[in-house]
Amino acid sequence: MSSLFDYTLASARDALRARKISAVELVDAHIEAIERLDDGLNSFITRTPEQARLAAKEADAALAKGEGGPLCGLPIGLKDLFATKDVRTTAASKILDNFIPPYESTVTANLKQDGAISLGKLNLDEFAMGSTNLTSAFGGVVNPWQRRGSTAKLVPGGSSGGSAAAVAAGLVLGATGTDTGGSIRQPAAFCGIAGVKPTYGRCSRFGTIAFASSLDQAGPMARNLQDCAILLESMAGFDPKDSTSVDKPVPHYEAALGRGVKGLKVGIPKEYRIDGLPAEIAAVWDQGIAWLKEAGAEIVDMSLPHTQYGLPAYYIAALAEASSNLARYDGVRFGERVTGASLDALYEATRAAGFGEEVKRRILLGTYVLSSGYYDAYYLRAQKVRTLLQRDFLQAYEKVDVILAPTAPSGAFAWDEKPTDPVQMYLNDVFTVPASMAGVPALSVPVGLDSHGVPLGLQLIGRFFDEETLLAAGSVLEKAASFTHRPTIHAGVSA
Amino acid sequence: MSLDVKTVAKMARLARIGLSEEELQAHQKEMQGIIGWVDHLNEVDITDVPPMVGTGLAQPRLRDDKVTDGNCPEAVLSNAPEREGPFYTVPKVVE
Amino acid sequence: MSAYRITGETGAWEVVIGLEVHAQIVSQAKLFSGASASYGGEPNSHVSLIDAGFPGMLPVLNRECVAQAVRTGLGLRAKINLFSRFDRKNYFYADLPTGYQISQFEHPIVGKGTVEIELSDGETRHIGVTRMHMEQDAGKSIHDQDPTRSFIDLNRAGVALMEIVSEPDIRSPEEAGAYIRKLRQILRYLGTCDGNMEEGSMRADVNVSVRREGEEGYRTRCEIKNVNSVRFVMQAIEVEAQRQVDVWESGGEIDQETRLFDHVKGETRSLRTKEDAHDYRYFPEPDLLPLVLEQSWVDELKAALPELPEDKRARLEKEYGVSRYESGVLTAEQSVADFYETVARGADARLATNWILGDFFAALNRTGRTIENSPVSAESLRELLALISDSTINGKIAKEVLEDMVETGDKPSAIVDRKGLRQVTDTGAIEAAISEILAANADKVAEYKSGKDKLFGFFVGQTMKAMKGKANPAMVNELLKKLLAS
């Protein structure tokens, strides 16, 4: 290896075990890279170098004794939606500016238990509400990728934009993300990395700040699927503290990567060929189909008839839940407070000052769809449409094993190209939302570059709790694509 | 369905978000657009379709009746913007 | 009993009452968190981060609270819904940390049931129960500690409550009082709520409307919130019904509103109407799955239910021959019934009933004690009655022994021995005493013999006095008759 930044999470793990490198040097190099690059990228909200260095020393001590968990000494980043004990956790919102949780989320506790070292808390859209990472109260995140011949700032996608950017730029070996309607997959695609949204119930939601409870699911983001598999195995698992967590053993995901796709039936949903699908997107999709076919998969044309209703139903369900989940930010027990003459004045001033525009808009809409006289027309109807969306998938999986589709309708766009019409903005999630609504697992892998030289991803959607088949098929795409491009801004590129 | 400024003001009040008249106007426009878009769902035939609840895979679970938590007033109050001894405080609530 | 009517200027009015009783479920921990559910404690100490609504905290349902709700449903002879579900009721308040209350709005765990009440004239009525559901309690706002601020204590936040909603079947303050008392009795028997109204374990929202005698349908009702004693419920109904009659009769209208009962002023008053009406925006709680019960578990809970007040009452009447009135007193509290049965089982039941309802209760009253902290155990009292039955002591001495038991807590046999109170049944000793008395009162003997029968009592008294009260009264009678006749 020529540089510490050429390691993947898996190869760094092996090198640490073999004592070819030390955790201290690996962590130090990444801290240095963050200091060097992140003032520009803004992928971190809170950096924790001191804690990381201490942990690295402990990791080396453990590794020297042949001990240490499966992730011992590996530097990662945590989306700032996961509560971390004694480390500021903001959800990228002003309303939690100085919130120091006295508790740790189950997912990050699992990772730390296995030896992973957090370098800090990663930027995101405020309360995970957005597809650009521009709604963060701590400033937007810059995608480390640039268009050929341009230095225009591109969005990293969202909401896990900080996670995607930090991984892509080589600032961390892996990161946690959360996906409510595409918040892992879309930024992974925009930043040229891999990301997995597991089955709803696979990773505990305990200690993860809620956006939409019935949709939120944590998952790994990393340079490739092997790294994602390693992280997911640590993050996943039954948690008695989350009533929606599913009590199923966690498989050894890494072992599934080499299974191949021979005989696998891969569904191509016709509804995803939407009007106006850019030719470049259609082309990578076709390329993906060809690769899987070559690897021995059977391609099956199929239908997910309710696809077009996924997005509006998603916004109703997610916003309704969000409006209720975000009621607790009232300036009384934690978070920022703006005082007022009365309790209601305090509430109104605190929430007006603490929430950003997108969050306010979503809370108002969520309040509206639940309000008296509208509940049946909106929320209840959306939850019924959700049943139909889920049935679409369940019926599809009687005929196919996985579904292949684009991750997003475009590659990363520039900060100033962000649509001003919220509906146009929401359309970014059109391919990712149906799997979220159904609760089934999905992943995104980078497979190529668009005409500007910006990465594009493909999405695989699987059966409930069959992340293994997804990883196997994704791995085939990964190999075929041999995506080795690096973004313009990368830790391994000397400045 | 049409959504007027008065309705937006009512939602803002229910959600305890203080908004100026201008902000209400701006939100009304956006919300009207979004609601118009989601009304598209009315096309779907939902006769006899039950609303979805989770993945349907988690088993209902009940906890044992044991005291396993609490007794941590300092943690509970650790982030209080304002407190008085062991209490959170708010502007006087008149009943 | 004549129906309760308010006589207005234009005629008689009937009162229609429905009650929503909030009863705290007896459990160790809270409904959705592992924090203690016990009353009191330092402020904010019985609080987990779940109760305080910290970001990312999630509820997990307490099995025992569900079991308690099922037991209560069974005790109300109500339908147990095997499928129920929690919803969120959204509103902002200082003592509601998450901004929503988790409650069973659409699908309660218990459906229709019934409560039989008994009125002072012995008449019984059945009051319908519409439904019962589980929900979380809120915290407490303290308003009197600071001139400009309210203090928030979340110790109660998240404690499990049952809300028992009655049909509008109640027609008088007396019925309302009887209903709450009966509910309280049933819950206490079941062990599902301690019924302690002072600590807020039970409180009621009272819905009151009035209508003209004979009128069909209901007029607008008002809800009097959070009334925390039986007496206040009855008073609140009286004054609120009168107020409504006055409004209707003066040509006014009743607005559907929430009111408060001020027991100092003896009036209800409107809770200042908020500028906008509540809109609770109920929706299914996405952090919890629907609650699905197995019929087998419900059956198990049913099989393990304690005997309910009505059943116990009927059994006591049958087994111990107590009257309807006596059985009512003896079963008012489970502890009294248990005490009674411990004493009466295998003893002279009539004697036990008389002693418990008589001297024993009087002693408790006098000493300000209750059955729970009685200075005399059921076993001791049973022993005392046994001493009467086997003629070791007589009834009069027994009263003295009971006094001593209350004072010292000693066993009756020990007291009898210590004080030498054993009844004298030695014929010779009694005869000797009688002979002395007859000799010393020759004039009275003569009067008696000449027909002044009343003097017999005098001789009995003198003999008992001479025997220090310990003589067997029957033997004294018998021997006196014999000796006076000789």
Side-chain angles (χ1 to χ4, degrees), chain A residues 98-100 102 200 238-239 242-246 308-309 311-313 315-316 331-335 337 340-344 346-348 351-352 357 361 363-365 367-368 371 374 378 381 383-384 386-388 390-391 422-423 437-438 464-465, chain B residues 1-3 7-8 10-19 23 27 30-31 33-35 37-46 48-59 61 75-82 88-93:
Chain A
N98 290 302
F99 178 59
I100 313 282
Y200 182 81
F238 172 64
D239 182 3
D242 173 0
S243 302
T244 61
S245 164
V246 177
Q308 62 162 319
Y309 303 109
L311 212 45
Y315 273 90
I316 291 170
V332 175
R333 294 161 314 284
F334 44 77
R337 161 185 286 197
S342 67
L343 180 62
D344 277 341
L346 179 148
Y347 286 151
E348 293 191 346
R351 291 164 63 81
E357 285 312 303
R361 176 187 302 134
I363 291 174
L364 291 175
L365 276 164
T367 305
Y368 178 69
S371 64
Y374 299 108
Y378 291 116
R381 174 170 283 268
Q383 290 294 56
K384 290 180 174 180
R386 221 176 146 179
T387 299
L388 296 173
Q390 194 181 46
R391 281 184 194 165
V423 172
M437 289 294 271
F464 283 131
F465 292 97
Chain B
M1 268 169 233
S2 86
L3 208 166
T7 307
V8 179
K10 194 179 160 209
M11 296 308 123
R13 172 75 191 137
L14 281 173
R16 298 294 188 276
I17 298 175
L19 293 178
E23 289 170 314
H27 277 294
E30 283 172 353
M31 285 172 68
I34 296 166
I35 289 297
W37 169 64
V38 303
D39 276 346
H40 177 51
L41 281 186
N42 292 332
E43 299 162 9
V44 187
D45 180 7
I46 50 163
D48 297 330
V49 178
M52 178 170 153
V53 183
T55 55
L57 295 173
Q59 292 301 308
R61 206 164 50 242
V76 165
L77 292 156
S78 60
N79 280 275
E82 198 188 296
Y88 297 111
T89 59
V90 295
K92 191 139 193 138
V93 179

Side-chain angles (χ1 to χ4, degrees), chain B residues 13-14 16 53 62-71 73 76 82 84 86-90 92-93 95, chain C residues 28-35 44-45 47-48 60-63 92-93 143 146 148-152 276:
Chain B
R13 172 75 191 137
L14 281 173
R16 298 294 188 276
V53 183
L62 297 169
R63 200 182 90 237
D64 287 342
D65 183 31
K66 286 192 188 124
V67 177
T68 55
D69 204 345
N71 283 318
V76 165
E82 198 188 296
E84 180 69 45
F87 297 103
Y88 297 111
T89 59
V90 295
K92 191 139 193 138
V93 179
E95 284 202 327
Chain C
Q28 298 293 311
K30 292 184 178 180
L31 185 55
F32 297 117
S33 89
N44 287 309
S45 63
V47 180
S48 84
V60 182
L61 184 56
N62 182 331
R63 178 186 295 107
F92 282 85
Y93 200 68
H143 306 301
D146 187 283
T148 61
R149 297 179 299 171
S150 293
F151 292 2
I152 310 298
D276 42 18

Side-chain angles (χ1 to χ4, degrees), chain A residues 138-216:
Chain A
F138 296 85
V141 175
V142 174
N143 191 326
W145 291 81
Q146 289 175 357
R147 289 175 181 156
R148 268 191 292 271
S150 163
T151 55
K153 286 194 281 188
L154 303 184
V155 301
S159 68
S160 312
S163 302
V167 170
L171 306 185
V172 290
L173 291 173
T176 59
T178 63
D179 193 313
T180 304
S183 280
I184 286 175
R185 291 160 285 163
Q186 184 254 20
F190 275 23
C191 291
I193 65 165
V196 180
K197 180 205 94 78
T199 311
Y200 182 81
R202 179 76 286 187
C203 291
S204 168
R205 293 186 297 113
F206 182 84
T208 307
I209 297 178
F211 162 14
S213 310
S214 71
L215 293 151
D216 296 345

Side-chain angles (χ1 to χ4, degrees), chain C residues 133-176:
Chain C
H133 66 260
M134 292 180 275
E135 63 184 28
Q136 313 170 282
D137 204 350
K140 197 168 71 174
S141 300
I142 302 156
H143 306 301
D144 57 2
Q145 300 284 306
D146 187 283
T148 61
R149 297 179 299 171
S150 293
F151 292 2
I152 310 298
D153 174 10
L154 298 179
N155 279 352
R156 309 305 303 147
V159 167
L161 300 178
M162 301 177 273
E163 182 176 329
I164 304 160
V165 182
S166 86
E167 298 283 344
D169 288 349
I170 301 167
R171 293 288 176 271
S172 70
E174 189 202 355
E175 288 183 15

Side-chain angles (χ1 to χ4, degrees), chain A residues 276-291:
Chain A
L277 183 70
E280 291 184 312
I281 304 291
V284 291
W285 192 7
D286 291 339
Q287 180 64 71
I289 294 169
W291 283 331

Side-chain angles (χ1 to χ4, degrees), chain C residues 299-469:
Chain C
D299 293 342
E300 260 173 58
L301 291 170
K302 188 170 187 176
L305 278 191
E307 188 176 35
L308 287 162
E310 282 312 318
D311 300 332
K312 194 182 283 289
R313 209 172 159 181
R315 186 173 58 77
L316 292 192
E317 287 167 24
K318 192 159 164 269
E319 275 182 32
Y320 302 100
V322 298
S323 72
R324 184 79 185 143
Y325 168 76
E326 288 167 336
S327 69
V329 177
L330 290 171
T331 57
E333 295 282 346
Q334 171 106 44
S335 52
V336 172
D338 289 349
F339 190 98
Y340 172 75
E341 288 209 74
T342 307
V343 177
R345 198 172 291 129
D348 177 339
R350 180 38 49 194
L351 191 66
T353 309
N354 291 345
W355 270 82
I356 286 176
L357 296 179
D359 292 273
F360 176 67
F361 274 7
L364 285 184
N365 277 339
R366 200 172 55 246
T367 54
R369 303 288 195 101
T370 64
I371 208 94
E372 278 82 11
N373 61 9
S374 164
V376 176
S377 71
E379 288 73 17
S380 289
L381 189 61
R382 186 172 59 195
E383 193 190 325
L384 178 69
L385 300 188
L387 293 176
I388 301 172
S389 294
D390 71 4
S391 300
T392 305
I393 55 175
N394 62 42
K396 190 155 176 264
I397 292 291
K399 286 178 198 280
E400 183 188 336
V401 174
L402 180 65
E403 298 284 299
D404 198 313
M405 287 162 70
V406 168
E407 208 166 290
T408 63
D410 286 352
K411 294 217 154 283
S413 53
I415 295 167
V416 167
D417 287 344
R418 166 156 54 77
K419 292 190 161 173
L421 298 176
R422 208 163 281 279
Q423 182 164 257
V424 178
T425 50
D426 174 349
T427 318
I430 300 172
E431 271 192 12
I434 293 174
S435 298
E436 263 180 49
I437 286 158
L438 297 188
N441 296 284
D443 49 342
K444 295 233 167 48
V445 173
E447 280 181 53
Y448 175 81
K449 286 189 171 168
S450 68
K452 214 167 176 193
D453 291 353
K454 269 198 223 156
L455 276 169
F456 190 77
F458 166 79
F459 294 119
V460 172
Q462 289 297 308
T463 310
M464 288 306 274
K465 195 174 164 194
M467 300 294 297
K468 298 196 169 64

